[in-house]
Amino acid sequence: MRAIRISQTGGPEVLEAVEIETPRPGPGEILVRNRAIGLNFIDTYHRTGLYPVKLPTGLGMEGAGEVVEVGEGVTRFAAGDLAAYASGPIGAYAEHHVVKADRAVRPPAGITAEVAAAALLKGMTAEFLLRRCFVVQPGQTILVHAAAGGVGSILVQWAKALGAVVIATVGSPDKADRARRLGADHAILYRDQDVAAEVRKITEGAGVPVVYDSVGAATFEASLKSLARRGLMVSYGNASGPAPAILPARLSQLGSVFLTRPTLFDYVATTEELDASAGALFAAIASGQVRIDIGQTFPLAETRAAHEAMEGRETIGASLLIP
């Protein structure tokens, strides 16, 4: 089968398309023939070495397709079922991928492999951020960075469905228009405007109870300064580089605020949590509360171009690799 591998960390140029033996599932595992593979910023962290991985390795955490073989003891899936996965193991950038049966879910009727691969990791991230990491309540005003991106676009829609007032930050006027179409009440151009000052203006000086920040270094300070007293800063990504270190006393000085750096994998640690999170996401999609916008697709052989577009902020919504 064709797969994308890296033998060293670095830029998109380290991505190589190779032919390798198609794997076989072991006990408790399933072999999925990928119809669509999700592109996520975490893939670039693995590629660059920001998140260390053992080399050589494949890349990719998310995909969806038909189950073509089940391992010993598997009862959760049968050959021919549609399966989607988003919590590893790493190596989804391939025509086939072996995953543990209890770490995959079966999308309901009406959810295609393409939508599942575009939605699962980003959508379950939005689910735990809005419903468990911080429980967003109707009428609360929240701040969402990178609101036109994959996770951000889902956060905006879902937060509006929960009754929140959404302040979105984006990198361009076109993306500001997109954020407003998704439901954002306010849009701030974070490269051109003082984000914290704009947030204070919108909230009449109060600040927001929660900030969702996937940008990292470029927005970290503005995020902290946008918080209300005892507010929560949720730093869940590093698109512009790792966020800086912070002394605990700084949190006190900003109004006894909180800081957390969560990962999806700690919120879907059990099969029950995985099923509940995916179920909530699929229900939100089916109800129309959340629309999954597949902004661009790339052939598997053009993974390098896909990474260049993603890191260059040239993508909108979700991106897919198609084997």
Side-chain angles (χ1 to χ4, degrees):
M1 69 171 187
R2 174 168 288 189
I4 303 298
R5 308 276 291 178
I6 63 170
S7 56
Q8 60 182 328
T9 56
E13 71 278 357
V14 303
L15 297 163
E16 297 180 289
V18 298
E19 293 289 330
I20 62 174
E21 193 74 22
T22 301
R24 297 290 302 278
E29 297 177 334
I30 58 175
L31 176 64
V32 179
R33 179 189 293 118
N34 286 327
R35 281 172 37 192
I37 301 158
L39 277 161
N40 296 284
F41 243 96
I42 192 173
D43 305 342
T44 70
Y45 304 158
H46 291 145
R47 193 203 72 225
T48 62
L50 180 63
Y51 291 0
V53 292
K54 184 178 179 180
L55 299 172
T57 183
L59 287 179
M61 306 291 291
E62 178 180 39
E66 293 87 10
V67 175
V68 294
E69 188 177 353
V70 301
E72 179 183 350
V74 172
T75 58
R76 187 171 166 86
F77 290 94
D81 287 344
L82 178 63
Y85 58 89
S87 53
I90 195 169
Y93 289 7
E95 291 175 328
H96 294 79
H97 193 38
V98 168
V99 297
K100 291 185 178 296
D102 62 3
R103 304 309 297 162
V105 298
R106 185 182 295 115
I111 302 292
T112 65
E114 291 75 17
V115 168
L120 194 58
L121 191 147
K122 291 175 277 291
M124 290 195 302
T125 298
E127 184 277 323
F128 91 76
L129 290 174
L130 293 169
R131 292 166 25 111
R132 292 185 283 152
C133 184
F134 180 94
V135 183
V136 172
Q137 301 295 326
Q140 287 182 320
T141 300
I142 70 172
L143 177 60
V144 176
H145 287 293
V151 176
S153 62
I154 298 174
L155 279 172
V156 170
Q157 295 176 79
W158 209 331
K160 289 304 297 179
L162 293 172
V165 176
V166 178
I167 304 173
T169 77
V170 292
S172 70
D174 287 346
K175 290 185 176 181
D177 290 341
R178 170 177 164 75
R180 293 188 187 96
R181 290 195 299 271
L182 292 169
D185 300 276
H186 308 274
I188 299 171
L189 300 178
Y190 70 84
R191 293 191 181 101
D192 304 323
Q193 296 177 278
D194 183 329
V195 172
E198 291 299 316
V199 169
R200 294 290 174 181
K201 186 185 304 181
I202 292 166
T203 60
E204 299 181 346
V208 293
V210 64
V211 176
Y212 295 113
D213 191 336
S214 64
V215 179
T219 53
F220 188 77
E221 187 67 18
S223 293
L224 288 172
K225 291 180 178 178
S226 296
L227 288 170
R229 182 176 287 115
R230 300 192 305 274
L232 175 64
M233 161 73 165
V234 184
S235 174
Y236 71 98
N238 314 280
S240 67
I246 183 171
L247 294 172
R250 179 98 166 96
L251 303 178
S252 171
Q253 295 162 1
L254 291 164
S256 299
V257 299
F258 297 84
L259 170 65
T260 185
R261 180 57 172 89
T263 67
L264 170 64
F265 311 113
D266 287 323
Y267 282 82
V268 293
T270 68
T271 303
E272 292 74 21
E273 288 173 333
L274 174 67
D275 286 343
S277 185
L281 169 64
F282 292 142
I285 294 171
S287 70
Q289 292 178 333
V290 171
R291 186 183 75 252
I292 303 302
D293 180 12
I294 300 172
Q296 45 278 311
T297 63
F298 302 85
L300 183 61
E302 296 179 13
T303 300
R304 175 175 175 174
H307 272 231
E308 290 171 343
M310 187 163 53
E311 290 181 297
R313 311 289 202 282
E314 297 170 7
T315 60
I316 290 179
S319 302
L320 293 177
L321 296 174
I322 305 299

